[in-house]
Amino acid sequence: MGIQKRLVGSYFVVICLTVLILEIILNVSVRYYYFHNIEETLMNQAELSASFFQQYFGDQDLEEQSDRLLKGFASHSDAQVQIINVEGRLLQDSNGLQGDLTMTEYIDVQAAIKGQPGSWKGADPNTEEAIYAVSYPLQANGNIVGGVRFITSLTETIHTVKQITVLLIGVGIIVIGIVTLLGLLLSWTITRSIKDLKQAADQMTEGDFSIRVHKRYQDELGSLADTLNMMVSRISKSEQLKNDFIASVSHELRTPLTSIKGWAITLKASEVSNQPLFYDGLDIIESESDRLTHMVDELLDFSKLDNGRIAVHFTSVDLTELLQHIGRQLTPRATRQGISLDVKIEEHLPVIQADENRVKQVMINLIDNSLKFTGSSGRIFITAHTVPGKVVISVEDTGSGIAETDLENVRQKFYKGDQQASGSGLGLSISEQIIKLHHGELRISSTLGKGTIVQFDLPIE
C-alpha cells in the first residue's frame, strides 16, 4: 500500500472516529435537553398544582373538589391532567377518560401516592403514542390524599429530535467529505515531493548525476531535496575529480615507465665502455623507480585509509631528532633546486607518543609540496613549538601559494589545484587522515604569489 493510501486511510479513520464520537455526544445532549426540559416543565406544573391544592383545598374532600381542581389545573397547561386518589384510582381526567380506573400500574403514580414525585415514559395504552407523565403527591394536613398527574405527547419532540439527528448526521457526512478531500490534497502535496525524490534517486542509481530535485515547499521534504541536490553535486564533483585523477595517474605512470624503458633500450644498445652514459641512465632509472614506488605507496595508503584499515603504532618519539633528520634528508634536494631549507625548533621539545613513520610521512609530503611549488631562491621553514597540551609543527614556504578558490579543496582526495603539477593529488588528504588518527588537526593558510603555511598539532600525553 502506497504512502498516499496509508495517509488518507489513517486520516479518514481518525476523522470518522472523531465525527462519530461528536455525533454521539451531540445526539445524546439534544435528546437529554428536550426530554429533560419536558420533565422539568411538567414537574414544575405538578408542583405548583400540588402547592395550590394544599393552600386552598387542603381542608376539603379531594373527590368532591376533583372537578374544580381539574378545571383549575388544566386551564394553565397544555398537558393532559389527571387527579388520582390515595388508592391510585382515577378521579378526573382532562381528556375525558372515565373514572374508577386503577392507575397503580404506572411507576410515577406509585411514587406519588407514597409521597414522592415520579416520572414515567412509555406508550399510551389506547393510541400507542409515546407519552411522558409526571405525578406529584397531594397533601392535606400532612397526609397524602392523592396525586396530580400531567401527561404530554412526545410525538413532536421525537420528530424534532430526529430532524436534529438527521441534520447532525448530514453535517457529519459533509465534514467527513470535506476533510477527506483536504486529506487527499494534503497527502498529494506530500507524496508528490516524495515521488520527485524517488525518481531522482532512481536516476542516480542508474549513474545519472545531472538530475536535480525540484524543491516544492519549505518543509522537511524541501530540506531533504536540498540535501539530495547537494549530495548529487558533491558526487558529481567527486566523479570529476576521480576522472581527473585517473587521467593524471595514467600520465604520471606513463612518464617514468617511458623513461625507464627508453633508458633500458639505450643502455642495451650502447657500449659498456661509455661509462658516463651508463651511470646517467642508471641514475634516471633509479629516480623514476623511486617515483613510481612513491605513487604506489600513496595509492596503497589511500586505499587503507578509505577502508579504515590503516593502523598507527604509537611509540615514544623525539620530535627534535626526527625533524632535524628530515631536514638533513631533504636539504640536498632543496640545494639542487636553489631553495633554502631551514629547521627552527624550540628547545626542549617534549617526547610524544606517535607513529614515527607516519609523522615522517606527513612531514615529507608537506615539504615535498613546498619544494614543488617554490622557485629558485625561495625559502622553506620547518618550525615546531609547544602550546598547552600539544606541539605545533609548521611547514612554511615562499612559493607560488594557493588560490582562494582552491584552498577549500586541496585536502580533498584526488584534487590538484595546479593540474600541471606532478603527483596523485592524495598527499594532503592522506596527511590529514594520519593527523586525525593522532587526534590532531591540520590547517592550511596561503596567499597567492606569496607562499603557503601548513600547520598540524600533535597532543602531548
Side-chain angles (χ1 to χ4, degrees), residues 327-367:
R328 291 193 298 270
Q329 179 181 344
L330 295 177
T331 294
R333 176 183 170 187
T335 302
R336 287 196 302 270
Q337 295 181 215
I339 299 171
S340 173
L341 178 61
D342 298 323
V343 180
K344 297 180 180 180
I345 303 172
E346 182 183 279
E347 294 184 359
H348 309 299
L349 283 178
V351 174
I352 65 169
Q353 293 295 314
D355 188 322
E356 184 173 353
N357 289 329
R358 292 297 179 185
V359 174
K360 184 177 180 181
Q361 178 183 354
V362 171
M363 288 299 300
I364 291 175
N365 273 334
L366 298 182
I367 298 170

Side-chain angles (χ1 to χ4, degrees), residues 117-251:
S119 61
W120 172 80
K121 184 172 67 173
D124 188 287
N126 297 318
T127 63
E128 297 298 327
E129 182 183 18
I131 59 173
Y132 198 92
V134 169
S135 297
Y136 205 92
L138 297 176
Q139 297 183 8
N141 300 320
N143 297 318
I144 304 299
V145 295
V148 60
R149 192 181 192 217
F150 284 79
I151 305 169
T152 188
S153 172
L154 294 178
T155 302
E156 289 296 326
T157 303
I158 292 174
H159 180 69
T160 302
V161 170
K162 285 182 178 180
Q163 285 183 325
I164 294 174
T165 300
V166 171
L167 177 63
L168 290 175
I169 293 173
V171 171
I173 293 173
I174 293 172
V175 168
I176 291 174
I178 293 173
V179 172
T180 301
L181 290 175
L182 291 176
L184 286 169
L185 178 62
L186 177 63
S187 64
W188 178 73
T189 61
I190 295 173
T191 54
R192 183 172 61 163
S193 298
I194 295 175
K195 286 178 181 177
D196 290 344
L197 292 170
K198 182 181 180 301
Q199 290 174 357
D202 289 340
Q203 289 185 254
M204 291 174 201
T205 58
E206 297 296 327
D208 181 8
F209 297 110
S210 63
I211 188 67
R212 293 294 182 272
V213 184
H214 177 59
K215 182 178 179 180
R216 297 184 181 276
Y217 307 103
Q218 298 290 337
D219 56 6
E220 288 81 359
L221 291 175
S223 299
L224 182 58
D226 288 339
T227 303
L228 192 61
N229 288 335
M230 186 182 301
M231 182 187 71
V232 174
S233 177
R234 290 182 178 178
I235 290 174
S236 300
K237 192 172 185 180
S238 296
E239 285 290 308
Q240 183 61 43
L241 288 173
K242 183 193 72 174
N243 294 334
D244 292 343
F245 165 74
I246 292 172
S248 175
V249 168
S250 299
H251 173 75

Side-chain angles (χ1 to χ4, degrees), residues 399-404 446-451:
S400 58
I402 304 171
E404 187 175 351
S446 182
T447 303
L448 193 62
K450 293 185 178 181

Side-chain angles (χ1 to χ4, degrees), residues 306-321:
D306 207 39
N307 291 288
R309 294 186 290 108
I310 195 166
V312 290
H313 305 284
F314 290 91
T315 58
S316 297
V317 178
D318 186 339
L319 282 177
T320 301
E321 182 180 345

Side-chain angles (χ1 to χ4, degrees), residues 252-253 256-257 260 282-298 329 333 336 364 368:
E252 293 291 337
L253 291 174
L257 287 172
I260 291 171
L282 290 179
D283 286 341
I284 291 173
I285 289 173
E286 181 182 9
S287 172
E288 295 299 307
S289 298
D290 289 341
R291 188 168 150 201
L292 284 173
T293 302
H294 177 69
M295 291 182 65
V296 171
D297 287 341
E298 277 193 341
Q329 179 181 344
R333 176 183 170 187
R336 287 196 302 270
I364 291 175
D368 180 67

Side-chain angles (χ1 to χ4, degrees), residues 367-387:
I367 298 170
D368 180 67
N369 283 340
S370 293
L371 289 170
K372 287 178 184 176
F373 297 101
T374 302
S376 179
S377 302
R379 303 189 70 180
I380 298 174
F381 302 95
I382 301 173
T383 62
H385 64 279
T386 58
V387 296

